[in-house]
Amino acid sequence: MPETPIFRLSRRFAAPPRLLWSAYTEPERLRLWWGPRGFRWVRGDLDLRPHGTFFYGMKAPEEAGGAIMWGKWTFRDIVAPTVAASGVLSFSVSFTDPDGQAIRHPMSPTWPLALLSTTTFVVDAGGTRLDCTAVPIDATPEEQTTFAAGMDSLHQGWSGTLTQLEDYLIRAQAA
Protein backbone atom coordinates (compact mmCIF):
# COMPACT_ATOMS: atom_id res chain seq x y z
CA MET A 1 0.00 0.00 0.00
CA PRO A 2 1.34 3.48 -0.83
CA GLU A 3 2.37 5.86 1.91
CA THR A 4 -0.58 8.00 3.06
CA PRO A 5 -0.27 11.45 1.47
CA ILE A 6 -0.50 14.44 3.82
CA PHE A 7 -1.71 17.88 2.79
CA ARG A 8 -0.03 20.71 4.74
CA LEU A 9 -0.54 24.45 4.67
CA SER A 10 0.41 27.17 7.17
CA ARG A 11 -0.48 30.82 7.25
CA ARG A 12 0.15 33.55 9.81
CA PHE A 13 -2.57 36.07 10.61
CA ALA A 14 -2.24 39.42 12.40
CA ALA A 15 -5.13 38.53 14.69
CA PRO A 16 -5.43 37.04 18.17
CA PRO A 17 -6.04 33.29 18.52
CA ARG A 18 -9.50 33.79 20.03
CA LEU A 19 -10.67 35.76 16.99
CA LEU A 20 -9.50 33.02 14.62
CA TRP A 21 -11.14 30.43 16.84
CA SER A 22 -14.41 32.38 16.72
CA ALA A 23 -14.13 32.64 12.93
CA TYR A 24 -13.92 28.83 12.75
CA THR A 25 -16.50 27.97 15.41
CA GLU A 26 -19.33 30.50 15.09
CA PRO A 27 -21.68 30.05 12.11
CA GLU A 28 -22.39 33.77 11.79
CA ARG A 29 -18.64 34.29 11.27
CA LEU A 30 -17.97 31.14 9.21
CA ARG A 31 -20.53 32.19 6.60
CA LEU A 32 -18.51 35.37 5.97
CA TRP A 33 -15.37 33.59 4.76
CA TRP A 34 -15.66 29.78 4.48
CA GLY A 35 -15.58 28.14 1.08
CA PRO A 36 -14.26 28.71 -2.41
CA ARG A 37 -14.07 32.30 -3.66
CA GLY A 38 -17.28 33.30 -5.42
CA PHE A 39 -19.47 30.66 -3.75
CA ARG A 40 -22.55 31.87 -1.84
CA TRP A 41 -23.44 30.41 1.57
CA VAL A 42 -26.88 28.75 1.54
CA ARG A 43 -26.85 26.88 4.85
CA GLY A 44 -24.66 26.36 7.88
CA ASP A 45 -25.64 24.39 10.97
CA LEU A 46 -22.95 23.98 13.62
CA ASP A 47 -22.98 21.80 16.73
CA LEU A 48 -19.51 22.35 18.26
CA ARG A 49 -18.87 19.31 20.45
CA PRO A 50 -17.06 16.00 19.95
CA HIS A 51 -19.08 14.01 17.37
CA GLY A 52 -21.10 17.16 16.63
CA THR A 53 -21.22 18.46 13.08
CA PHE A 54 -20.92 21.49 10.88
CA PHE A 55 -23.24 20.87 7.92
CA TYR A 56 -23.09 23.45 5.16
CA GLY A 57 -24.18 24.21 1.61
CA MET A 58 -22.62 26.63 -0.86
CA LYS A 59 -23.90 27.69 -4.28
CA ALA A 60 -21.36 27.95 -7.06
CA PRO A 61 -21.34 31.10 -9.18
CA GLU A 62 -23.67 30.93 -12.20
CA GLU A 63 -20.69 31.05 -14.58
CA ALA A 64 -19.45 27.86 -12.88
CA GLY A 65 -22.80 26.08 -13.21
CA GLY A 66 -24.58 27.39 -10.11
CA ALA A 67 -24.78 23.98 -8.43
CA ILE A 68 -25.09 23.71 -4.66
CA MET A 69 -22.31 21.72 -3.03
CA TRP A 70 -22.87 20.22 0.40
CA GLY A 71 -20.32 19.26 3.02
CA LYS A 72 -20.04 18.12 6.60
CA TRP A 73 -17.42 18.22 9.32
CA THR A 74 -17.75 15.74 12.18
CA PHE A 75 -15.74 17.06 15.11
CA ARG A 76 -13.15 14.99 16.94
CA ASP A 77 -10.78 17.23 18.95
CA ILE A 78 -11.88 20.65 20.16
CA VAL A 79 -9.40 22.63 22.23
CA ALA A 80 -9.82 26.41 22.19
CA PRO A 81 -6.60 28.44 22.17
CA THR A 82 -5.71 30.77 25.01
CA VAL A 83 -3.40 33.78 25.13
CA ALA A 84 -0.52 31.47 26.02
CA ALA A 85 -1.46 28.07 24.57
CA SER A 86 -2.27 26.75 21.13
CA GLY A 87 -5.62 25.24 20.26
CA VAL A 88 -6.71 22.51 17.88
CA LEU A 89 -9.79 21.68 15.89
CA SER A 90 -9.90 18.31 14.14
CA PHE A 91 -12.74 16.79 12.21
CA SER A 92 -13.56 14.37 9.45
CA VAL A 93 -14.81 16.17 6.35
CA SER A 94 -16.89 14.83 3.49
CA PHE A 95 -18.90 16.00 0.56
CA THR A 96 -22.56 15.18 1.24
CA ASP A 97 -25.99 15.15 -0.31
CA PRO A 98 -28.55 17.76 0.87
CA ASP A 99 -29.50 15.43 3.74
CA GLY A 100 -25.94 15.28 5.09
CA GLN A 101 -25.11 11.74 3.91
CA ALA A 102 -21.52 11.34 2.69
CA ILE A 103 -21.12 11.08 -1.08
CA ARG A 104 -18.24 10.98 -3.52
CA HIS A 105 -16.67 14.22 -4.71
CA PRO A 106 -19.05 15.59 -7.36
CA MET A 107 -16.21 15.99 -9.88
CA SER A 108 -13.83 13.20 -8.80
CA PRO A 109 -15.30 9.73 -8.20
CA THR A 110 -11.99 8.37 -6.90
CA TRP A 111 -11.50 11.15 -4.31
CA PRO A 112 -11.46 9.73 -0.74
CA LEU A 113 -14.91 9.63 0.85
CA ALA A 114 -13.57 11.33 3.99
CA LEU A 115 -10.52 13.28 5.12
CA LEU A 116 -9.21 13.94 8.61
CA SER A 117 -8.60 17.68 8.77
CA THR A 118 -6.68 19.25 11.63
CA THR A 119 -6.25 22.97 12.19
CA THR A 120 -3.85 24.06 14.91
CA PHE A 121 -4.14 27.64 16.20
CA VAL A 122 -0.56 28.52 17.20
CA VAL A 123 0.03 31.59 19.36
CA ASP A 124 2.63 33.59 17.44
CA ALA A 125 3.96 36.93 18.81
CA GLY A 126 1.11 39.34 18.20
CA GLY A 127 -0.81 37.03 15.90
CA THR A 128 -1.77 33.47 15.16
CA ARG A 129 -0.38 30.87 12.81
CA LEU A 130 -2.79 28.30 11.43
CA ASP A 131 -1.23 24.95 10.63
CA CYS A 132 -3.67 22.94 8.51
CA THR A 133 -3.30 19.28 7.56
CA ALA A 134 -5.56 16.77 5.87
CA VAL A 135 -5.18 13.04 5.28
CA PRO A 136 -7.50 10.51 3.69
CA ILE A 137 -9.44 8.26 6.08
CA ASP A 138 -9.65 4.55 5.20
CA ALA A 139 -8.73 5.31 1.59
CA THR A 140 -7.99 2.72 -1.05
CA PRO A 141 -4.66 2.95 -2.88
CA GLU A 142 -6.51 4.52 -5.84
CA GLU A 143 -8.10 7.14 -3.56
CA GLN A 144 -4.73 7.92 -1.98
CA THR A 145 -3.23 8.36 -5.45
CA THR A 146 -6.08 10.70 -6.44
CA PHE A 147 -5.61 12.69 -3.21
CA ALA A 148 -1.85 12.95 -3.77
CA ALA A 149 -2.42 14.08 -7.38
CA GLY A 150 -4.79 16.79 -6.11
CA MET A 151 -2.28 18.52 -3.82
CA ASP A 152 -1.79 21.53 -6.12
CA SER A 153 -5.54 22.01 -6.39
CA LEU A 154 -5.90 21.67 -2.59
CA HIS A 155 -3.21 24.31 -2.05
CA GLN A 156 -4.89 26.64 -4.52
CA GLY A 157 -8.34 26.16 -2.97
CA TRP A 158 -7.18 26.42 0.64
CA SER A 159 -5.00 29.44 -0.14
CA GLY A 160 -8.02 31.21 -1.61
CA THR A 161 -10.19 30.28 1.37
CA LEU A 162 -7.55 31.48 3.84
CA THR A 163 -7.27 34.75 1.89
CA GLN A 164 -11.01 35.18 2.44
CA LEU A 165 -10.43 34.45 6.15
CA GLU A 166 -7.68 37.08 6.22
CA ASP A 167 -10.01 39.63 4.59
CA TYR A 168 -12.72 38.78 7.13
CA LEU A 169 -10.28 39.18 10.06
CA ILE A 170 -9.23 42.62 8.85
CA ARG A 171 -12.88 43.70 8.67
CA ALA A 172 -13.68 42.16 12.07
CA GLN A 173 -10.78 43.92 13.79
CA ALA A 174 -11.66 47.25 12.18
CA ALA A 175 -15.28 47.10 13.39
Side-chain angles (χ1 to χ4, degrees):
M1 172 157 305
E3 186 175 322
T4 301
I6 301 172
F7 169 76
R8 298 178 197 281
L9 183 66
S10 291
R11 179 154 329 165
R12 186 183 185 286
F13 297 90
R18 294 299 297 173
L19 180 56
L20 266 84
W21 182 260
S22 294
Y24 261 84
T25 61
E26 297 173 11
E28 63 275 10
R29 293 177 187 262
L30 263 168
R31 72 176 183 77
L32 298 173
W33 69 271
W34 173 248
R37 187 171 295 280
F39 278 61
R40 184 176 51 83
W41 183 274
V42 297
R43 178 178 180 176
D45 304 320
L46 189 139
D47 178 13
L48 185 65
R49 62 182 174 85
H51 308 291
T53 62
F54 169 46
F55 176 57
Y56 58 92
M58 295 177 288
K59 186 175 184 349
E62 291 306 321
E63 59 272 14
I68 295 177
M69 297 187 68
W70 300 95
K72 182 168 71 174
W73 301 352
T74 302
F75 296 106
R76 293 184 175 195
D77 299 310
I78 303 169
V79 179
T82 66
V83 173
S86 299
V88 67
L89 192 62
S90 72
F91 46 89
S92 63
V93 60
S94 298
F95 288 95
T96 72
D97 64 19
D99 296 319
Q101 299 302 308
I103 62 169
R104 292 286 168 188
H105 188 300
M107 294 169 262
S108 180
T110 59
W111 189 259
L113 192 57
L115 302 176
L116 175 60
S117 181
T118 303
T119 301
T120 305
F121 300 75
V122 181
V123 178
D124 185 30
T128 308
R129 189 183 76 236
L130 290 185
D131 291 334
C132 306
T133 63
V135 295
I137 299 173
D138 298 325
T140 67
E142 182 181 31
E143 292 167 343
Q144 289 186 19
T145 298
T146 299
F147 181 77
M151 290 289 176
D152 287 342
S153 179
L154 280 170
H155 273 279
Q156 182 179 354
W158 267 100
S159 291
T161 296
L162 293 181
T163 295
Q164 292 179 156
L165 172 57
E166 188 167 40
D167 293 345
Y168 163 74
L169 294 168
I170 291 168
R171 291 189 313 271
Q173 291 182 98

